[in-house]
Amino acid sequence: MEFMSHLEQVNRLWRKDSRILLEHISLYYALFTWWYCHRAGEKVAISSERMMQRSKIKSKEMYEETLEELDSYGYITYTPSKGLGLPATIAIHSFGLETKVKENTLEKQRELIAKRVTREAIFDWFIRSRA
């Protein structure tokens, strides 16, 4: 996969995808450059601390949510760690055909909104209970 060609294709897809936010772009670039430089195969081990630092994402929750969204949108394949001491892995998808990116369906949007609302409600409850 050619570096610049791939990034141009991804940028074209992002312009059409209303779900993509700044944190998705930042994390994707961090993941892609890590994958491109270290790939020994299709999947590459990643460190959450390193990827958070490279993508400038400060919150572990935001990092994990963004990673899961990139996976659910079809831009990457994310495999969480199977246990302590075992790394998570990612694979970057090739975008020769735009059909690989999953559709932005109303149902998916509702699911993601509900997930965010639930996380925010739990966080608010936690903060209030500690006050």
Side-chain angles (χ1 to χ4, degrees), residues 23-119:
E23 56 265 21
H24 295 110
I25 294 169
S26 177
L27 182 57
Y28 186 87
Y29 276 125
L31 293 168
F32 178 74
T33 55
W34 182 261
W35 176 84
Y36 192 83
C37 292
H38 295 91
R39 63 185 167 165
E42 190 174 306
K43 290 190 172 195
V44 172
I46 59 170
S47 156
S48 58
E49 292 81 15
R50 183 171 283 133
M51 291 301 110
M52 287 173 64
Q53 182 181 29
R54 288 174 178 241
S55 64
K56 308 294 188 214
I57 295 176
K58 303 287 186 217
S59 162
K60 181 81 168 178
E61 291 78 24
M62 175 62 77
Y63 166 77
E64 290 174 356
E65 180 178 325
T66 305
L67 194 57
E68 290 170 2
E69 288 173 348
L70 284 171
D71 179 61
S72 72
Y73 298 165
Y75 290 96
I76 66 170
T77 298
Y78 166 61
T79 307
S81 172
K82 301 284 189 228
L84 285 174
L86 299 174
T89 61
I90 58 115
I92 301 292
H93 296 177
S94 174
F95 296 110
L97 300 172
E98 292 186 16
T99 56
K100 290 194 176 193
V101 175
K102 297 175 186 167
E103 291 296 318
N104 182 7
T105 64
L106 185 58
E107 184 178 321
K108 276 283 188 195
Q109 285 180 334
R110 286 182 180 152
E111 179 184 310
L112 291 169
I113 289 169
K115 187 176 177 183
R116 282 187 176 148
V117 168
T118 303
R119 283 184 181 176

Side-chain angles (χ1 to χ4, degrees), residues 1-8 29 32-33 36-37:
M1 177 182 317
E2 206 264 296
F3 190 87
M4 291 307 292
S5 171
H6 177 82
L7 292 179
E8 287 172 7
Y29 276 125
F32 178 74
T33 55
Y36 192 83
C37 292

